[in-house]
């Protein structure tokens, strides 16, 4: 398994492309937008420059990593003769089903299809294909070059052979593969998102302010980042999407998203990506501080 295609050049997609290319894999980075591809490659280059400045890699390492990444705006060309495809598109069920249906038609019979979804059912995604035994969840954490965990999610029909291959692959990337079963939110977000939602509820009901809530969790529970700041970093739209998946999947009111979160997303206050969320990133150094906290 030496040739990988990544679908989506956003934050997660370019991070996944980075770690594969740095380990010597040939990577096809695919996106419908050339602008997104250019931005993704620029992000990888900037992260490599940070690593170079810290003497973590050499100049030749940087050059070889970037040379290992080819970009495509045409899906069929981008997935030609690859061993593994990792979908890292927007967290939208209908979009992912359309992508996997098309991947199944155009890629080789032996190609494994993985998704970086953070909450959507692997079994459901696999149902759009004729190879459910070769469909698996490969949930990387952000920022991908730094975070060691890969949450590997088995769908109902995912084979042992596929699971073993993906576990080995994750280890080859110097990641820690952790296999979980296919239930809404899996493990990471089934635990994390209710905590973030409860922090938003605490703010919504006036128990404490943003800074106070985050300070309690950072200093009292030894979290490196408070839940509201973390929500901004993840993206409030992404948090809302995951909570909706949890709520629809379990029909349990404890997963219902806080009205404040819904209103903020509706108003376009999405966190770092939009310049404002629970914190104001447009008029402060906080966005830079957050980025540097997780710099490669």
């Amino acid at each position: 398994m030496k040739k990988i295609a990544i679908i989506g050049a956003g934050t997660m997609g370019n991070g996944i492309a980075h770690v594969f290319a740095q380990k010597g894999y040939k990577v096809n980075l695919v996106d419908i937008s050339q602008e997104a591809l250019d931005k993704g490659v620029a992000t990888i280059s900037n992260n490599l420059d940070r690593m170079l400045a810290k003497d973590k890699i050499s100049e030749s390492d940087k050059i070889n990593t970037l040379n290992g990444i080819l970009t495509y705006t045409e899906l069929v060309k981008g997935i030609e003769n690859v061993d593994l495809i990792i979908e890292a598109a927007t967290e939208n069920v209908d979009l992912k089903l359309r992508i996997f249906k098309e991947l199944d038609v155009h890629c080789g019979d032996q190609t494994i299809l993985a998704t970086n979804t953070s909450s959507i059912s692997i079994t459901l995604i696999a149902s759009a294909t004729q190879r459910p035994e070769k469909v698996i969840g490969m949930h990387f954490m952000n920022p991908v070059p730094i975070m060691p965990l890969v949450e590997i999610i088995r769908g109902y029909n995912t084979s042992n052979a596929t699971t073993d291959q993906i576990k080995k692959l994750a280890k080859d990337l110097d990641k820690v593969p952790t296999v979980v079963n296919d239930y809404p939110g899996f493990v990471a977000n089934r635990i994390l998102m209710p905590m973030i939602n409860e922090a938003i509820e605490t703010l919504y009901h006036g128990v404490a302010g943003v800074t106070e809530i985050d300070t309690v969790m950072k200093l009292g529970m030894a979290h490196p980042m408070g839940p509201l700041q973390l929500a901004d970093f993840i993206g409030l739209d992404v948090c809302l999407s995951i909570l909706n998946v949890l709520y629809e999947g379990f029909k349990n009111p404890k997963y219902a998203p806080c009205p404040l979160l819904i209103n903020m997303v509706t108003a376009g206050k999405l966190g770092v990506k939009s310049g404002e969320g629970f914190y104001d990133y447009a008029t402060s150094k906080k966005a830079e501080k957050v980025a540097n906290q997780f710099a490669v």
Side-chain angles (χ1 to χ4, degrees):
M1 192 175 287
K2 280 295 179 183
K3 193 172 182 182
I4 315 295
I6 313 295
I7 310 300
T11 300
M12 298 305 296
N14 71 63
I16 296 168
H18 176 157
V19 297
F20 272 102
Q22 193 175 330
K23 286 295 182 180
Y25 291 86
K26 298 300 181 184
V27 177
N28 292 351
L29 186 57
V30 184
D31 200 292
I32 59 173
S33 165
Q34 186 62 51
E35 181 182 359
L37 288 167
D38 293 342
K39 184 178 178 182
V41 172
T43 298
I44 295 169
S45 182
N46 290 337
N47 284 334
L48 290 168
D49 283 338
R50 290 193 186 99
M51 297 177 76
L52 188 60
K54 295 176 182 178
D55 294 323
K56 292 183 177 180
I57 61 170
S58 66
E59 182 67 33
S60 63
D61 291 331
K62 175 188 173 181
I63 293 170
N64 290 336
T65 299
L66 291 174
N67 286 343
I69 301 172
L70 298 176
T71 61
Y72 295 85
T73 54
E74 190 175 330
L75 180 67
V76 176
K77 287 185 178 180
I79 64 173
E80 189 175 7
N81 297 322
V82 300
D83 304 303
L84 168 69
I85 301 173
I86 303 176
E87 171 272 318
T90 304
E91 193 75 346
N92 177 283
V93 174
D94 292 336
L95 174 62
K96 291 185 187 296
L97 291 176
R98 287 199 303 271
I99 289 173
F100 271 77
K101 186 174 182 179
E102 191 168 359
L103 294 177
D104 188 51
V105 170
H106 294 292
C107 69
D109 292 341
Q110 298 306 311
T111 304
I112 293 175
L113 305 181
T115 174
N116 185 60
T117 181
S118 54
S119 60
I120 297 170
S121 169
I122 307 304
T123 305
L124 175 61
I125 291 172
S127 71
T129 78
Q130 298 300 312
R131 64 184 83 196
E133 74 284 356
K134 290 185 175 295
V135 178
I136 195 165
M138 202 174 184
H139 180 206
F140 290 83
M141 305 293 131
N142 185 32
V144 181
I146 292 177
M147 301 294 277
L149 175 68
V150 179
E151 190 178 29
I152 295 173
I153 307 100
R154 294 184 58 135
Y156 187 82
N157 292 303
T158 305
S159 70
N160 291 335
T162 297
T163 304
D164 290 342
Q165 281 183 278
I166 296 303
K167 283 172 62 180
K168 181 181 182 302
L169 185 66
K171 290 177 181 177
D172 288 344
L173 298 175
D174 293 330
K175 301 296 185 185
V176 179
T178 303
V179 179
V180 305
N181 291 320
D182 186 22
Y183 290 93
F186 318 133
V187 171
N189 284 313
R190 182 171 178 171
I191 295 170
L192 175 63
M193 285 302 154
M195 183 192 74
I196 286 176
N197 197 45
E198 193 62 33
I200 300 171
E201 287 278 3
T202 303
L203 176 67
Y204 180 57
H205 290 286
V207 178
V210 170
T211 303
E212 289 75 15
I213 291 168
D214 278 354
T215 299
V216 167
M217 297 304 291
K218 286 190 290 185
L219 300 186
M221 284 65 185
H223 290 194
M225 183 182 289
L228 299 178
Q229 187 181 15
L230 178 57
D232 276 355
F233 185 71
I234 294 169
L236 301 191
D237 53 336
V238 176
C239 293
L240 178 58
S241 175
I242 295 170
L243 283 164
N244 282 331
V245 168
L246 289 167
Y247 183 59
E248 291 168 10
F250 292 114
K251 305 299 183 187
N252 188 323
K254 75 177 182 178
Y255 297 114
C258 177
L260 175 58
L261 175 61
I262 296 170
N263 282 343
M264 290 179 71
V265 171
T266 302
K269 299 183 188 300
L270 309 180
V272 174
K273 71 173 83 175
S274 69
E276 184 179 358
F278 293 106
Y279 294 88
D280 184 351
Y281 301 92
T283 59
S284 74
K285 294 289 185 180
K286 189 171 286 293
E288 182 179 350
K289 183 178 179 182
V290 170
N292 289 337
Q293 185 172 352
F294 289 92
V296 175

